[in-house]
Amino acid sequence: ELERWAAFHEAVQRLPFEEREVVGLVFYHGWTQVQIAELFGVDERTIRRRWKAACLALSAQLEGKLPGG
């Protein structure tokens, strides 16, 4: 499981900047998508799209083997 977590954190670092920022704020800091949208001054739908793209990319990079799952 430790290896999965290490791979997950490495995969997060490989995400495009905007997606990485959303993942960091949601996953590591517990922010809501509404809070992130307000922080960046964008529509909440933009944050949802970035979150979805990040989740899909992480799943693909990790071949669906996400930690904790």
Side-chain angles (χ1 to χ4, degrees), residues 11-53:
V12 168
Q13 292 305 309
R14 289 191 296 269
L15 291 172
F17 176 77
E18 292 175 337
E19 293 172 16
R20 189 171 62 244
E21 287 293 302
V22 171
V23 170
L25 290 170
V26 171
F27 186 79
Y28 297 113
H29 299 286
W31 285 39
T32 66
Q33 293 179 3
V34 171
Q35 290 172 314
I36 299 167
E38 290 174 0
L39 174 70
F40 293 126
V42 298
D43 193 279
E44 184 183 350
R45 290 175 295 187
T46 299
I47 300 304
R48 283 196 305 259
R49 280 192 300 272
R50 291 176 187 172
W51 174 253
K52 183 176 180 177

